[in-house]
Amino acid sequence: MDNSTVQSVERVFSILEALSEYPKGISLGDLSEIVSLHKSTVFRLLSTLGKMNYITKDPITGKYKLTIRLFEIGSRALDGFDLLSVSRPYLEKLTSLTNEVTHLVVPDDQWVVYLYKQAPHNFSIMSSAIGMRNYMYCTGVGKSIMAACSDEEIIRIWHSSEIIPYTPSTLTSLAAMQAEIKIIRQQGYAIDNEEHEPGIRCVAAAITDFSGKAIAAISLAATTYRMSDARIQELAPLVISTAKSISSVFGGS
């Protein structure tokens, strides 16, 4: 591919990205200024995109806007991104690097449902299992998902849950949860400090999609003997980077 072809491709995508910011349409002149290209160049590329049904021109205002063609292509692409199959290689690597128990969960209203669990050497004293569900408020994975929600949604999740003091460390007041959420948002990860199961701690981070919505969460878990505060500080960057890598596949960050 020669340089002129590469340049044309880059220009097309810059135009498409600019158009995505103006769902009601934008004039040729304004679009040219945004993408820093001459009107004639932009007009030529828009004409090609129009012939391929990626853009349309309003006959009354003369403004250009995207069609649903890109949405159709994106929707088909998403069909190939199964969360578990996409996440598995990252989680296997995480388990191998840390030698700790790895989980993948998805939200289901006020619950999290476990899709994946890998324990080093097939050994785990934890009660978690694939298919199990737990309330969000008492798990690291659940709290990381809640932290990606709006404040109003967090309150709804809380009031939809049966608040049970599973252990002396379980957060049982909304105020305490809201304070915890603030910390999670600041540091980028959540901790389960023996809040659901005595003797078990974990560090977790959410997986987000292109809209910023938390579609899942991952965690590393171990006994309190293994999961000291220092160990959590060591593992947190690995959990965050793994969650970000999976998120990027779904357009998240």
Side-chain angles (χ1 to χ4, degrees):
M1 186 179 292
D2 58 34
N3 289 336
S4 62
T5 302
V6 172
Q7 185 182 59
S8 294
V9 172
E10 291 175 344
R11 288 174 171 177
V12 165
F13 278 102
S14 68
I15 288 172
L16 290 173
E17 289 175 0
L19 285 170
S20 71
E21 300 291 334
Y22 296 89
K24 293 183 179 180
I26 184 173
S27 68
L28 175 61
D30 289 342
L31 181 58
S32 299
E33 288 185 15
I34 290 172
V35 297
S36 301
L37 292 172
H38 195 275
K39 282 186 180 181
S40 61
T41 300
V42 176
F43 178 78
R44 175 173 55 82
L45 294 173
L46 286 171
S47 296
T48 300
L49 289 169
K51 291 176 183 177
M52 298 177 69
N53 296 319
Y54 285 98
I55 64 102
T56 185
K57 181 180 179 181
D58 190 303
I60 298 176
T61 65
K63 292 183 176 181
Y64 294 88
K65 61 182 178 180
L66 294 175
T67 65
I68 63 169
R69 177 70 171 151
L70 286 174
F71 174 77
E72 292 171 347
I73 292 175
S75 297
R76 290 200 296 270
L78 283 176
D79 289 340
F81 294 141
D82 172 72
L83 177 63
L84 183 55
S85 61
V86 167
S87 303
R88 188 185 297 275
Y90 295 99
L91 298 175
E92 289 177 346
K93 180 179 179 181
L94 187 61
T95 305
S96 176
L97 284 173
T98 63
N99 205 37
E100 305 294 0
V101 178
T102 308
H103 293 110
L104 170 70
V105 309
V106 291
D108 182 18
D109 204 5
Q110 68 267 37
W111 309 87
V112 289
V113 180
Y114 290 76
L115 291 188
Y116 175 94
K117 176 182 180 180
Q118 183 179 5
H121 313 301
N122 295 317
F123 173 76
S124 173
I125 64 171
M126 298 181 63
S127 64
S128 59
I130 295 172
M132 177 184 286
R133 63 174 55 218
N134 285 324
Y135 283 116
M136 285 193 187
Y137 72 88
C138 58
T139 62
V141 281
K143 290 190 293 181
S144 67
I145 291 172
M146 290 175 72
C149 298
S150 67
D151 292 341
E152 293 75 17
E153 178 65 5
I154 290 169
I155 293 172
R156 188 200 66 77
I157 290 171
W158 180 267
H159 289 303
S160 298
S161 306
E162 182 183 1
I163 307 303
I164 302 169
Y166 291 101
T167 76
S169 300
T170 307
L171 300 180
T172 55
S173 77
L174 178 57
M177 176 59 66
Q178 290 170 322
E180 180 87 352
I181 293 297
K182 185 177 294 186
I183 294 172
I184 296 168
R185 287 171 173 170
Q186 290 173 346
Q187 63 191 14
Y189 65 92
I191 296 172
D192 174 353
N193 189 24
E194 298 185 82
E195 294 163 51
H196 183 262
E197 192 172 348
I200 299 296
R201 300 180 83 192
C202 81
V203 54
I207 296 170
T208 57
D209 65 8
F210 60 91
S211 68
K213 177 183 178 181
I215 58 173
I218 62 172
S219 71
L220 285 173
T223 61
T224 52
Y225 175 78
R226 290 179 59 87
M227 193 68 79
S228 63
D229 290 344
R231 180 64 168 157
I232 285 176
Q233 292 303 310
E234 178 186 344
L235 295 176
L238 291 173
V239 174
I240 293 171
S241 63
T242 301
K244 285 184 178 294
S245 294
I246 300 172
S247 296
S248 67
V249 179
F250 297 93
S253 59

